[in-house]
Structure formats: C-alpha cells, structure tokens
Amino acid sequence: MNIDMIISLRSPECTNQILPRSIKLPLQGNAEYEKRLRFLHPIFENFSLTIQDILEDSEARRICMWLYAKADTAAGEYLNEYVWILQFDESGKRIISQKEYVDTAMQKEFYPKLQAASRTQAKKD
C-alpha cells in the first residue's frame, strides 16, 4: 500500500467518514486518515482490495465502489467488504470526500482476535 500516493490523491480539505454512524467514529481529515493508514499498514500484510462493482456519475463527480479486502494478520486471514463513495473536485483529479461503509459484523468478530494476537506477539518480542 502506497500511503503517500493515497494521500496525494486527496484534496487538502478532504474528509473521510467511516460508516455506519452506529460505530461512532469521528470524521477524519487527511492528517488523521494518514495516521490511521500508517498505523494499520504493518498489521495488515499483503493488503489488497478487489473491486466487485463500481458506479460512476461523471456529471456529479462521484464514484461508488463495492470492494473486497484481503490481508494477512497475526490473527489469520483478514477478509472484509467495504462500500466507498468518493466525491471528486471540479477537475475530477482529487478526492474531496470519502464515505467508507464497513462490515461491522466482521469487525466485531475479527478485531478482538487481532488484538489478542497482537498482545501475544508483543509478549514474544
């Protein structure tokens, strides 16, 4: 994952909202989003996204993608689904807003395992 490239595609005012709102995560600007990516990058090895479906509205400068995610972690294979809604600036080159819907059922099951595996790994180191 090239984090510098990801951030370069975002406008300076770009926001990232992780949804649904029931998980109560705050709206993130670029600095918070980059910090999150840099924290997660070493945890999720071989991270990849595969587009399952994409809807484009060039007039509104919006893209909606249904994505499958896959990675290797200390807790085993990570498999997840996302829906991203990206809004672009007038040039169509930079993202000004990202809404990221996550699979909350998967997160409730997987993240406790990941935390436990991370604690076990930290004790070994």
Side-chain angles (χ1 to χ4, degrees), residues 56-75:
E56 298 177 63
D57 184 339
S58 55
E59 216 172 283
R61 301 181 319 275
R62 294 175 65 133
I63 293 176
C64 180
M65 294 183 289
W66 169 29
L67 304 158
Y68 283 166
K70 184 177 181 179
D72 300 314
T73 74

Side-chain angles (χ1 to χ4, degrees), residues 2-125:
N2 186 333
I3 296 170
D4 292 332
M5 184 193 68
I6 292 168
I7 297 302
S8 76
L9 298 173
R10 301 165 68 84
S11 73
E13 310 80 29
C14 187
T15 58
N16 189 72
Q17 185 174 20
I18 300 173
L19 299 164
R21 290 187 177 158
S22 62
I23 59 177
K24 299 179 181 166
L25 292 173
L27 188 68
Q28 299 173 322
N30 284 329
E32 296 88 1
Y33 184 66
E34 181 177 0
K35 184 178 178 181
R36 181 174 139 238
L37 290 178
R38 293 198 187 280
F39 173 77
L40 294 173
H41 185 256
I43 297 168
F44 293 88
E45 296 179 22
N46 305 312
F47 183 84
S48 66
L49 292 169
T50 304
I51 298 172
Q52 299 303 304
D53 199 0
I54 187 167
L55 302 170
E56 298 177 63
D57 184 339
S58 55
E59 216 172 283
R61 301 181 319 275
R62 294 175 65 133
I63 293 176
C64 180
M65 294 183 289
W66 169 29
L67 304 158
Y68 283 166
K70 184 177 181 179
D72 300 314
T73 74
E77 188 175 48
Y78 171 80
L79 298 170
N80 203 348
E81 287 184 81
Y82 303 99
V83 173
W84 288 359
I85 301 171
L86 306 175
Q87 177 75 47
F88 290 83
D89 65 10
E90 290 187 20
S91 74
K93 294 182 180 180
R94 292 201 174 213
I95 301 164
I96 59 174
S97 172
Q98 177 178 352
K99 294 180 180 172
E100 182 179 334
Y101 289 85
V102 298
D103 181 348
T104 55
M106 181 273 170
Q107 283 192 319
K108 285 179 184 176
E109 179 184 324
F110 185 78
Y111 277 93
K113 293 177 189 176
L114 183 59
Q115 288 174 332
S118 296
R119 282 192 297 273
T120 301
Q121 184 65 37
K123 287 178 185 178
K124 290 179 184 177
D125 294 340

